[in-house]
Amino acid sequence: MKTRIAIFASGSGSNAQKIMEHFNSHPEGEVVLVLTNNPQAYVLQRADNFEIPTHVFTRQEFYQTDEVVKILKNIQVDLIVLAGFLWLVPQSLLQAFPNQIINIHPALLPKYGGKGMYGDNVHKAVLANGETESGITIHFVNEHFDEGEMIHQAKYKIEPGDTLDIIKFKGQQLEHQYFPKVIEGLLKKVRR
Ligand code: GAR
């Protein structure tokens, strides 16, 4: 029995792409659904390319109903991966999947986390503060933005003259390198 993974993403989905590639004909895990709040998200196209089903939901559906939980339970999802998903996870979803929801964040938490800290906002703040290093954090999700138990961090150096695009690229390289492997390490732990 493979561990069944669902990915939530709000935008491009380059991390989702790496995860779908990694678990495409993998013996231990498979991506069974991609979910998004954004009907324009490029991640939907990426999922189609892998012939992985998708579900688009509204704010009302996500926060006022149990529809998303029902869908995930119906298809027996074991692990939920937030890969560039920008909405806070509601309590009902956290309770339905305890210790089974993880997130990736483009900084070394607890620095540069919290509401509004996503994507370019994070990198701009890192540069504005003259940091000499930054990195990525993969962590369990709780009811606060970017605060659950840490699973893995990786760092990169910031050189004098590095631009927003450069540090974004360095972070993205680390995300793509580590996220699928960290998920792989969790497969047995979260399986029914
Ligand atoms: C990633 O860098 C991820 O760390 C970040 O969104 C990006 C999504 O990129 N997530 C957050 O900022 C969450 N607070 P992608 O759509 O290309 O995978």
Side-chain angles (χ1 to χ4, degrees):
M1 192 70 163
K2 293 186 190 185
T3 300
R4 296 169 66 77
I5 303 164
I7 301 176
F8 282 64
S10 300
S12 160
S14 74
N15 281 285
Q17 170 87 25
K18 293 291 168 190
I19 296 162
M20 291 187 286
E21 278 168 15
H22 189 88
F23 293 103
N24 195 13
S25 54
H26 187 286
E28 297 281 329
E30 61 183 323
V31 179
V32 293
L33 186 65
V34 170
L35 302 98
T36 184
N37 58 298
N38 174 8
Q40 313 300 332
Y42 186 57
V43 72
L44 291 169
Q45 180 63 53
R46 297 188 195 265
D48 276 355
N49 296 342
F50 284 89
E51 298 183 349
I52 292 171
T54 57
H55 177 69
V56 181
F57 53 83
T58 61
R59 186 170 280 280
Q60 199 269 343
E61 181 187 337
F62 196 51
Y63 290 109
Q64 312 294 335
T65 78
D66 278 339
E67 199 52 38
V68 169
V69 171
K70 273 191 201 145
I71 292 169
L72 296 167
K73 288 289 181 192
N74 274 344
I75 59 168
Q76 300 188 310
V77 164
D78 302 299
L79 178 65
I80 296 173
V81 174
L82 311 186
F85 180 63
L86 303 183
W87 289 3
L88 197 63
V89 174
Q91 200 62 39
S92 54
L93 188 51
L94 289 168
Q95 275 166 6
F97 293 92
N99 297 315
Q100 289 166 290
I101 310 179
I102 66 169
N103 179 46
I104 192 159
H105 186 77
L108 295 171
L109 292 174
K111 287 171 121 180
Y112 305 104
K115 193 166 165 50
M117 275 295 178
Y118 57 86
D120 284 2
N121 294 350
V122 174
H123 301 303
K124 281 180 192 162
V126 166
L127 280 182
N129 282 343
E131 299 281 359
T132 55
E133 64 174 22
S134 188
I136 63 160
T137 304
I138 297 165
H139 63 95
F140 285 104
V141 171
N142 68 13
E143 64 274 31
H144 305 290
F145 276 113
D146 307 320
E147 277 191 18
E149 185 196 335
M150 267 183 221
I151 305 166
H152 190 81
Q153 287 192 313
K155 290 180 186 176
Y156 60 84
K157 286 221 168 325
I158 301 176
E159 308 293 344
D162 273 4
T163 61
L164 178 70
D165 282 341
I166 292 173
I167 67 164
K168 199 165 146 179
F169 179 76
K170 288 178 178 176
Q172 201 172 47
Q173 294 290 100
L174 288 182
E175 291 188 337
H176 294 171
Q177 183 185 346
Y178 286 106
F179 208 8
K181 286 182 193 157
V182 168
I183 293 168
E184 184 160 316
L186 291 172
L187 292 181
K188 286 207 172 69
K189 291 180 201 154
V190 295
R191 200 177 303 158
R192 279 151 289 131

